[in-house]
Amino acid sequence: MALLKSCKIISAVAGHSPVLGVFPIRASSWWSEVQMGPPDPILGVTEAFRRDTNPKKMNLGVGAYRDDQGKPYVLSCVRKAEAQIATKKMDKEYLPIGGFGDFNKACAQLALGSDNEVLKSNRSITVQTISGTGSLRIGANFLSRFHTSVRDVYLPKPSWGNHTPIFRDAGMQLKAYRYYDPSTCGFDSKGALDDISKIPEKSVILLHACAHNPTGVDPRPEQWKEMSALIKKRNLLVFFDMAYQGFASGDIDRDAWAVRHFIEQGHNIVLSQSFAKNMGLYGERVGGFTVVCKDADEAKRVESQLKILIRPIYSNPPMNGARIAATILNTPELNKEWLEEVKGMANRIIKMREQLVANLKKEGSSHNWQHVIDQIGMFCFTGLKPEQVERLTKEFSIYMTKDGRISMAGVTSGNVGYLAQGIHAVTK
Amino acid sequence: MALLKTSKLVSAVGAFSPSLGVFPSRASSWWTEVQMGPPDPILGVTEAFKRDTNPKKMNLGVGAYRDDNGKPFVLSCVRKAEALIASKQLDKEYLPIGGLGDFSKACAELALGSDSEVLKSKRTITVQTISGTGSLRIGSNFLSRFHTVAKDVYLPKPSWGNHTPIFRDAGMQLKSYRYYDPTTCGFDFTGALDDISKIPEHNVIMLHACAHNPTGVDPRPEQWKEMSEVIKKRKLLVFFDMAYQGFASGDIDRDAWAVRYFIEQGHNVLLSQSFAKNMGLYGERVGGFTVVCADAEEAKRVESQLKILIRPIYSNPPMNGARIASTILHTPELRSLWLDEVKGMADRIIRMREMLVTNLKKEGSTHNWQHVIDQIGMFCFTGLKPEQVERLTKEFSVYMTKDGRISVAGVTSGNVEYLAHGIHQVTK
C-alpha cells in the first residue's frame, strides 16, 4: 500500500471507507527527518569480526575480560554469591531511589578505604547507579544542574569515547588537556601540567583513577602528587572515573591510591565506580556515584537532589547486580576469593603483555615495545597507525579500533604468537 | 578544624605544613548553594507508615501488589524462570545497547498482538528499557531531540506524578487535558474531547493505555474510538503509557485494546511498557519502548538514533529481569502460568473493591461508592478530601496519598472491614 503522507487524504479515505478494518489509513510519518546515525565505533569492530570466516581471527576490540581460552569469565565468587542469594528467596520490591544501602556502603568503603575520615564523618553520599556509564551521566546531570558557575569539563586527550556524549548530552561543554604522548607512548606529564595550569577556576577536570582508557598510561604517584597540588591551586572540581579498581595492578588499594590521595589533600571530589570489569558483572549494570561533601549536612542536601534527579530518569536502580556485589563485599570468604580472582585476571593481562613483547622480539622486531609492558589495565595503545591497523585487519583478521588500541583481554597464550607475527609484519 | 573556604588560605596552609599527612586543608565547598529538596510524596507516606506503632495500621500508598496476607508476591512463573536461567549458567556479557533481542521481540508482541501488521512489516522498533520510567524518559528524550516541531506534551489531569519531571527534565513543556471528573469520580469525556479538540497540531498527547494512575478511571471502548478520531483530526503524536497490561482487567489482550485500536486507526504511536506490576519484577527494572514508524527503513533510522541516545545514559540495559521476562513469554507453560497469575492478582484487586463497598454499606454509609467498583487497576481515587485523608491517617493509621488515592493492593480480606470503618467515620 502506498504510503500516505498528508492528513487530508487520510480524512478523505476514512470518510469513504468506514468499513476498511485492517488499516484504513496511515498517519503521516513523524520521523521522516530522522537520519541514520553512524554505527558505534567499537561495536562496528565486533560486527565485522563476526562476519570474518578466518579461523585465526582475533577480536581485540572487546572491552570485556576473556580467559586464556578466549571465553567470557564469570567469577567463582559471583556464582557463589548468586547461589546464596537464590536460597534466600528474596522479594523483588523496588530498591530506594538511591539504590541498595548495603551496596552503597560497601562501594564507598572499597573506593575510599573503610577507615577513611570522609566516611567516618558521614560527609559523602554514594548512590547506586547503572554501572559506570550511569554513574558518569548522573554526575554530569548533577554538575549541569548545580555546578552552574562554569560549564566546562576537561577530559584527558584521548579519553574513553563515550565521555564526550555523556557530558555533552547532559549540557556541559567539553575541553581537553594533554595526556598521552605518542612519541613515547607514555604520559605527557609536562604537557598535562602545562594545560592544567591554564584551566579556568572552578572548571571540572576528569581524571581516570587507574588503567587509563584507551591508552593504559597512568601517572606515577609523584606525578599524581604534582597534579593534585596544581589542580588545587587552580581550584578545579575533580571528577574521578574509576572503572578498573583491582583490575589494573591486581591490588584494590593500590589502584585507588590516586582517589584517596586527592581526598586526603582536601579535594572534595565526585567519583564514578564500575563493577563491570573487576567483578565481571558487565550486563548486570553495577556501579556507584559518590560526592564528597564538606560535611554531613551538605551530604544530606546533595543526596536529596540526586534523588530528585534520578527519579525521572529510571526511578530506582536494578537490584540483581547490586545484591551480588554487596554479598561479595560483605561476606569475608567471598571478598577474599574475589580479591584473588581480580588479581588472577590482572596477572593474566600482565603476562600477555610480557608474552607479546617477547614474541615481537622473537619475530625480529627492532621497535621499542616497552610501552606494551609499561601500560596498565585492559587496553594497550600499540602506537600502530591507521594504515597498519587496516592491514592487520585485512591480512591477518585481527580486529581492533582504528586508533591502534587493543584489548589485552582478547589475547591468549594460544594466539599471542600470531598477534606478534601480524604486528611485526605491518611494522617492520 | 575550621573549614577553610578560600583557595589562598588553602595554598598557604599547604605551603606551611607539607608534612601534614591526613588533611592539611579542606577545599572550598562546591555544593553550598544546593538546597534540601522536598521528600518524594509517595515515599513520605511509607516512611510515616513505618514509624507508626498501631498494630492495625495500613499502608495504602504503596504502588506494589500485595497478597491477601499483605505480603509482597513473587510470581511462581518468575521463580521457575529464574531456576531455568540459573541452570543454564549463562555469562554476564553486555547486552546490546537496545537490549536483549528475544525480550524486545516478545515485549512488542505482547503489546501489539503477534499477528499485528506493524510487526509483520517490521515497521516498529522496540528497545529494552529500565522499566516504565526508563522507557518514558528515553521516549521524552527522543521527542525532545527529534520532534522539534512542537515541544508540548499533554498529560491527562491528573496523571502519575513522575510524568511531569520526566518530560520536563527531558526538555519538553507540560500541558494537560481534562480527564477526571471529581463530581462523578469518573471519566470527564466531554471535557476531554473539548480540550483535545483545541490542542495545537503536532503536539504530543499522553494516554494511559489501561488502569489510569492515579484515578483508576478508564475510557470505555466507544469513548476511546471518539478520542482516536479527534486526536487524528488534530494530528497529534500519541504516546501511550502501558504500565498495567494484564493487571487491569486480568486479560492482556483486553488491556491492550486501546493501543491496538489506535495503531489500526493509523496512529504511529510511541509506547512505554512496564513489567514491574504484571510480572512483579519491580526492582529488576524491566520495560520496553516502542516507536511505530512509517516503514521498515524508518524503523532502522529511528533505532540507530535511539541507540545513540541511550549509550551516553547507561550504555546498555540490565540483563537479569529481561532474561526472566523473556523466558516467561517464550516458554509456553510459563506463559500460561503467568497469564493465570496475572488474572489472579487482578481478580483479588477486584474482589477487594467489591468487599470494600459491601463493608461501607454495612457500616451504614449513604454515599455512592460505585466508583470504587467501576475504577480499574491497582489504584482507587476514593474522592476523600485532604482533611478526611488526614483524619484517616491520624485516627486510624490508614496511610494514603493526600489526593485520596488508595492502593487497593494494600487491602486484604483481613483489613477491609477496618478500612471501611475508618472511611465511614471520616465521611459520614
Side-chain angles (χ1 to χ4, degrees):
Chain A
M1 176 174 182
L3 185 65
L4 300 171
K5 285 216 188 273
S6 83
C7 285
K8 286 210 178 68
I9 301 175
I10 289 168
S11 317
V13 169
H16 274 123
S17 323
V19 300
L20 256 184
V22 185
F23 40 102
I25 58 270
R26 286 245 183 107
S28 36
S29 159
W30 296 110
W31 316 113
S32 347
E33 307 306 310
V34 173
Q35 305 292 320
M36 179 65 87
D40 187 271
I42 295 170
L43 266 124
V45 169
T46 295
E47 276 160 30
F49 168 82
R50 289 211 175 113
R51 289 193 294 268
D52 193 322
T53 50
N54 184 343
K56 293 188 146 195
K57 66 182 182 178
M58 290 175 68
N59 187 356
L60 303 184
V62 67
Y65 181 81
R66 294 285 176 266
D67 64 16
D68 203 48
Q69 272 73 53
K71 297 272 176 287
Y73 171 56
V74 178
L75 278 65
S76 169
C77 62
V78 167
R79 288 291 185 221
K80 291 191 164 101
E82 286 185 306
Q84 251 181 47
I85 290 164
T87 57
K88 291 186 188 165
K89 293 274 185 244
M90 291 184 280
D91 64 40
K92 295 186 183 297
E93 294 299 289
Y94 292 126
L95 287 177
I97 297 172
F100 185 31
D102 286 353
F103 167 77
N104 294 339
K105 195 158 180 286
C107 179
Q109 285 175 350
L110 178 68
L112 273 37
S114 47
D115 59 343
N116 197 299
E117 165 271 324
V118 163
L119 296 177
K120 292 198 169 112
S121 42
N122 287 316
R123 66 178 183 96
S124 66
I125 172 62
T126 298
V127 291
Q128 179 193 338
T129 56
I130 301 169
S131 208
T133 303
S135 177
L136 289 161
R137 183 54 178 266
I138 293 301
N141 280 137
F142 188 76
L143 289 170
S144 188
R145 183 171 283 184
F146 293 105
H147 185 67
T148 47
S149 45
V150 177
R151 315 301 295 163
D152 293 336
V153 176
Y154 284 75
L155 302 180
K157 202 186 322 186
S159 194
W160 181 45
N162 207 21
H163 277 144
T164 295
I166 288 171
F167 286 101
R168 196 186 49 211
D169 283 7
M172 305 297 284
Q173 316 233 49
L174 274 309
K175 292 201 159 60
Y177 58 94
R178 273 172 288 169
Y179 188 85
Y180 178 71
D181 184 349
S183 61
T184 60
C185 293
F187 179 44
D188 181 0
S189 177
K190 241 165 122 261
L193 290 176
D194 190 28
D195 283 355
I196 292 173
S197 71
K198 297 177 176 125
I199 297 179
E201 287 204 357
K202 302 196 182 164
S203 303
V204 179
I205 181 167
L206 184 101
L207 305 170
H208 295 221
C210 60
H212 180 272
N213 180 1
T215 68
V217 166
D218 286 351
R220 287 191 308 272
E222 53 274 24
Q223 293 170 323
W224 274 125
K225 286 176 176 174
E226 275 187 289
M227 288 167 74
S228 166
L230 178 57
I231 288 169
K232 204 188 304 181
K233 212 169 180 165
R234 298 304 306 148
N235 197 18
L236 307 178
L237 201 174
V238 172
F239 198 144
F240 264 111
D241 183 357
M242 184 156 69
Y244 297 97
Q245 186 187 7
F247 200 93
S249 69
D251 180 328
I252 51 151
D253 295 309
R254 190 163 148 188
D255 288 349
W257 183 85
V259 171
R260 297 174 190 182
H261 174 75
F262 270 65
I263 291 175
E264 277 170 31
Q265 291 302 303
H267 298 271
N268 283 349
I269 65 168
V270 300
L271 166 68
S272 285
Q273 290 168 261
S274 168
F275 290 83
K277 280 84 172 172
N278 62 9
M279 276 195 188
L281 291 176
Y282 306 94
E284 300 279 359
R285 318 311 289 130
V286 191
F289 177 66
T290 297
V291 183
V292 177
C293 302
K294 87 165 190 258
D295 54 39
D297 172 75
E298 184 168 282
K300 283 278 159 222
R301 287 184 278 113
V302 166
E303 178 184 22
S304 74
Q305 294 296 343
L306 281 169
K307 285 156 72 170
I308 287 171
L309 197 138
I310 289 171
R311 174 68 158 142
I313 304 179
Y314 52 83
S315 282
N316 44 77
M319 62 185 1
N320 200 57
R323 280 175 169 171
I324 294 171
T327 302
I328 290 170
L329 293 171
N330 293 321
T331 310
E333 325 80 79
L334 291 184
N335 191 54
K336 184 162 179 295
E337 183 170 7
W338 172 56
L339 293 175
E340 282 161 13
E341 290 190 274
V342 165
K343 195 165 198 336
M345 289 193 286
N347 285 344
R348 194 184 88 68
I349 298 283
I350 289 166
K351 204 154 62 242
M352 289 303 103
R353 291 179 179 279
E354 290 162 358
Q355 283 196 33
L356 177 55
V357 173
N359 275 279
L360 281 162
K361 287 183 173 145
K362 253 198 334 199
E363 286 286 325
S365 179
S366 52
H367 291 288
N368 178 3
W369 294 105
Q370 186 57 33
H371 56 282
V372 173
I373 291 177
D374 291 343
Q375 288 169 8
I376 194 171
M378 195 176 292
F379 299 111
C380 166
F381 234 36
T382 54
L384 290 173
K385 304 196 182 351
E387 323 80 66
Q388 296 168 323
V389 171
E390 201 177 335
R391 278 190 64 196
L392 250 184
T393 304
K394 282 197 154 69
E395 297 173 32
F396 294 88
S397 294
I398 295 172
Y399 293 79
M400 65 187 68
T401 44
K402 281 199 296 282
D403 54 7
R405 181 195 88 163
I406 58 173
S407 171
M408 293 307 302
V411 183
T412 69
S413 40
N415 64 25
V416 65
Y418 180 69
L419 175 60
Q421 220 177 72
I423 290 177
H424 177 58
V426 306
T427 57
K428 66 183 177 190
Chain B
M1 177 174 185
L3 185 65
L4 300 169
K5 282 206 191 281
T6 76
S7 291
K8 287 210 176 68
L9 274 169
V10 164
S11 317
V13 170
F16 272 125
S17 324
S19 48
L20 253 187
V22 183
F23 39 105
S25 50
R26 288 249 178 102
S28 36
S29 160
W30 297 110
W31 316 113
T32 329
E33 307 305 314
V34 173
Q35 306 291 321
M36 179 65 87
D40 187 273
I42 295 172
L43 266 123
V45 169
T46 295
E47 275 159 32
F49 169 81
K50 284 191 175 138
R51 289 193 294 269
D52 193 321
T53 51
N54 184 342
K56 293 188 144 194
K57 66 182 180 179
M58 290 176 68
N59 187 356
L60 303 184
V62 66
Y65 181 81
R66 295 285 177 266
D67 65 15
D68 203 46
N69 297 306
K71 298 271 176 286
F73 173 54
V74 178
L75 278 64
S76 170
C77 62
V78 167
R79 289 289 186 223
K80 290 187 156 92
E82 286 185 307
L84 263 179
I85 290 163
S87 64
K88 290 185 187 167
Q89 297 286 282
L90 298 164
D91 65 40
K92 294 188 183 296
E93 295 298 290
Y94 291 126
L95 287 179
I97 298 172
L100 180 64
D102 284 351
F103 167 76
S104 301
K105 192 163 180 288
C107 178
E109 284 175 356
L110 179 67
L112 274 35
S114 46
D115 59 342
S116 170
E117 170 270 326
V118 308
L119 292 177
K120 293 201 167 109
S121 42
K122 296 189 182 318
R123 64 181 183 95
T124 63
I125 172 60
T126 297
V127 291
Q128 178 192 337
T129 57
I130 301 169
S131 207
T133 303
S135 176
L136 289 161
R137 183 56 177 264
I138 293 301
S140 53
N141 280 137
F142 188 77
L143 286 170
S144 188
R145 183 172 283 184
F146 294 106
H147 185 69
T148 47
V149 321
K151 306 305 284 171
D152 293 340
V153 176
Y154 284 74
L155 302 179
K157 202 189 321 188
S159 195
W160 180 44
N162 207 20
H163 277 146
T164 295
I166 288 171
F167 285 101
R168 196 185 48 211
D169 284 5
M172 304 298 284
Q173 318 231 48
L174 275 308
K175 293 200 160 60
S176 63
Y177 57 94
R178 273 172 287 169
Y179 188 85
Y180 179 71
D181 184 348
T183 61
T184 61
C185 293
F187 182 39
D188 182 0
F189 184 46
T190 323
L193 286 184
D194 191 29
D195 284 353
I196 294 172
S197 70
K198 296 178 175 123
I199 297 178
E201 288 199 353
H202 303 306
N203 280 295
V204 181
I205 181 167
M206 158 134 298
L207 304 170
H208 295 220
C210 58
H212 181 271
N213 180 0
T215 69
V217 167
D218 286 350
R220 288 191 308 273
E222 53 274 23
Q223 292 171 323
W224 274 124
K225 287 177 177 175
E226 285 202 51
M227 288 168 73
S228 168
E229 277 310 298
V230 177
I231 289 168
K232 205 187 300 176
K233 220 168 179 158
R234 299 305 304 150
K235 295 185 205 162
L236 306 179
L237 201 175
V238 173
F239 196 151
F240 266 112
D241 183 357
M242 184 154 71
Y244 297 98
Q245 186 186 7
F247 200 92
S249 70
D251 180 328
I252 51 153
D253 295 308
R254 190 162 148 189
D255 288 350
W257 182 83
V259 171
R260 297 175 189 181
Y261 177 77
F262 269 64
I263 291 174
E264 277 170 31
Q265 290 302 302
H267 298 271
N268 284 351
V269 309
L270 303 177
L271 168 67
S272 285
Q273 290 169 261
S274 167
F275 289 84
K277 281 85 172 171
N278 62 9
M279 277 195 187
L281 291 174
Y282 305 94
E284 300 277 0
R285 318 310 289 129
V286 191
F289 176 66
T290 297
V291 184
V292 178
C293 301
D295 52 42
E297 189 267 341
E298 183 169 281
K300 283 277 158 222
R301 285 184 280 114
V302 166
E303 178 183 23
S304 74
Q305 293 297 344
L306 281 170
K307 286 157 71 171
I308 287 170
L309 197 139
I310 289 171
R311 174 64 158 145
I313 304 180
Y314 53 82
S315 279
N316 45 76
M319 62 186 1
N320 199 57
R323 280 175 167 171
I324 294 170
S326 183
T327 301
I328 290 170
L329 293 171
H330 286 297
T331 312
E333 324 81 79
L334 292 185
R335 191 187 177 105
S336 179
L337 175 57
W338 172 57
L339 293 175
D340 287 340
E341 293 190 279
V342 165
K343 190 163 194 339
M345 290 192 286
D347 284 347
R348 195 185 88 69
I349 300 282
I350 289 166
R351 205 161 54 245
M352 289 304 104
R353 292 178 178 278
E354 290 163 356
M355 281 179 73
L356 178 56
V357 173
T358 305
N359 276 279
L360 281 163
K361 288 180 174 148
K362 253 197 332 195
E363 287 282 324
S365 179
T366 51
H367 292 287
N368 179 2
W369 295 105
Q370 186 56 33
H371 57 281
V372 172
I373 292 177
D374 291 344
Q375 288 168 9
I376 193 171
M378 195 177 292
F379 300 110
C380 167
F381 236 34
T382 54
L384 290 173
K385 303 194 182 354
E387 323 80 66
Q388 295 168 324
V389 171
E390 200 177 337
R391 278 190 65 197
L392 248 184
T393 302
K394 283 198 153 70
E395 297 173 32
F396 295 90
S397 295
V398 174
Y399 291 80
M400 66 186 68
T401 45
K402 281 201 295 282
D403 55 8
R405 180 194 88 163
I406 59 170
S407 170
V408 184
V411 183
T412 69
S413 42
N415 64 25
V416 64
E417 285 181 37
Y418 180 72
L419 176 60
H421 177 71
I423 290 177
H424 178 56
Q425 291 306 309
V426 306
T427 56
K428 63 184 180 185

